[in-house]
Amino acid sequence: EKRTVTQIEKNGYPDSIYINAAKIFQGIHTEKSKDIILVHYGDNSESPMMAFKDEHSRRVSYELAFNALKYQDLLEEILLDSKSYPCYSIPDELTSLLVVMLYDLQDRKFQKRKIFAEEELVAEVQEIGHYLYRYKTKLAAALARCRIKYDALSIEYFVPETIRKQEQRASALPICVWINTFKISLEDVIRDLEMKGLTKVESVSDFDHYTYAVDQHCHDVLVFPSSLREELLNLDLFADCKLLLQ
């Protein structure tokens, strides 16, 4: 049976993802000067260690946290404009969770998130999720007002120009992958990739879509075109940790 890496669609995440993303965001969010601060994030001096279920969960948690960071100003404005913040039943220590879950809520167009089978529910996540969903109409209206106010066709408008350019450069970079030589050899990886229709080329300058190259200096590293990212992550080689995304 073919195994694949679980791809979580835009219908929400397991509670553990939100908790870990909130912990990450708590440590990286932009601190405002005291004279203009309106949203309070509590104390992050004793942030506990995070336990990730697997590498995919780690990647998704960091991705969610950094997306919340990119749109922190917008998300805070939505919370304030909708009058859903401040909420005196939600302590400052949970503000990061509130912001992270708000980003995800607007990303799935304010639709209710699904509960994943065999998911371990976290009380704080359930509480914040229900709270935001009760305010979904006001939150959506606040987002619409922000877009009208700034003449923004989408929320991408609110990403700072420097970050937008960095993301454009990063998305065009080739993908580097380590071969887990404890589980598979270079020869077996090449055989598997060829069976899936990928062709080995000499260097990145020879890249077409379904091609790859062996790194000239590290022979246990493969390089792929950026356009193959999603297809690569669905390969059983990744699901079995025989290939590891750099």
Side-chain angles (χ1 to χ4, degrees):
E1 182 183 353
K2 177 180 171 58
R3 296 179 61 233
T4 60
V5 175
T6 302
Q7 299 294 306
I8 301 176
E9 299 176 357
K10 289 184 180 180
N11 50 16
Y13 300 90
D15 285 14
S16 60
I17 297 290
Y18 292 113
I19 286 292
N20 283 333
K23 290 177 182 178
I24 296 165
F25 180 79
Q26 179 72 11
I28 63 176
H29 72 271
T30 302
E31 294 280 2
K32 308 290 177 64
S33 59
K34 291 184 178 180
D35 57 327
I36 64 169
I37 190 168
L38 294 173
V39 177
H40 300 270
Y41 288 93
D43 182 24
N44 65 350
S45 59
E46 296 184 7
S47 181
M49 295 293 290
M50 287 167 285
F52 296 101
K53 180 181 176 181
D54 50 35
E55 185 59 34
H56 181 66
S57 297
R58 178 194 300 271
R59 183 170 60 85
V60 171
S61 298
Y62 274 95
E63 183 178 307
L64 181 55
F66 276 93
N67 278 331
L69 177 65
K70 283 194 302 184
Y71 298 106
Q72 179 180 334
D73 289 344
L74 171 64
L75 296 170
E76 290 179 356
E77 187 168 346
I78 292 171
L79 287 171
L80 294 166
D81 187 355
S82 66
K83 303 295 192 295
S84 59
Y85 184 92
C87 172
Y88 299 104
S89 66
I90 298 175
D92 290 348
E93 287 71 24
L94 291 182
T95 301
S96 286
L97 182 60
L98 183 70
V99 170
V100 163
M101 293 189 72
L102 173 58
Y103 170 79
D104 177 60
L105 180 62
Q106 67 77 33
D107 193 42
R108 61 178 193 272
K109 311 301 182 187
F110 297 93
Q111 299 299 308
K112 197 166 188 176
R113 74 183 183 100
K114 66 176 281 189
I115 299 299
F116 290 81
E118 301 179 0
E119 174 187 349
E120 184 176 343
L121 301 182
V122 179
E124 292 84 355
V125 173
Q126 294 296 309
E127 177 189 354
I128 298 295
H130 291 316
Y131 177 76
L132 287 172
Y133 197 68
R134 288 201 306 271
Y135 272 87
K136 66 172 185 174
T137 302
K138 292 183 177 180
L139 291 166
L143 173 58
R145 284 193 292 272
C146 286
R147 290 177 55 181
I148 293 170
K149 177 181 176 181
Y150 297 103
D151 194 24
L153 293 176
S154 69
I155 69 166
E156 281 71 24
Y157 169 90
F158 298 94
V159 178
E161 184 66 21
T162 53
I163 295 178
R164 192 180 300 121
K165 288 181 178 178
Q166 289 172 356
E167 289 184 334
Q168 289 171 348
R169 287 196 295 268
S171 65
L173 290 174
I175 302 165
C176 292
V177 170
W178 289 95
I179 298 172
N180 184 352
T181 53
F182 290 105
K183 289 193 171 187
I184 195 169
S185 67
L186 170 62
E187 292 73 21
D188 287 340
V189 170
I190 290 175
R191 188 178 305 113
D192 195 302
L193 293 175
E194 288 179 348
M195 289 175 61
K196 290 176 171 59
L198 279 83
T199 303
K200 180 184 173 185
V201 295
E202 289 302 314
S203 70
V204 296
S205 59
D206 301 318
F207 273 172
D208 194 359
H209 183 55
Y210 287 103
T211 52
Y212 69 96
V214 177
D215 188 275
Q216 296 178 359
H217 304 289
C218 301
H219 293 165
D220 57 350
V221 173
L222 302 179
V223 187
F224 296 85
S226 59
S227 57
L228 281 177
R229 177 178 292 272
E230 292 304 318
E231 292 180 67
L232 287 175
L233 291 175
N234 275 317
L235 294 179
D236 49 5
L237 289 169
F238 280 89
D240 294 328
C241 297
K242 293 176 180 178
L243 293 182
L244 305 171
L245 190 65
Q246 173 63 45

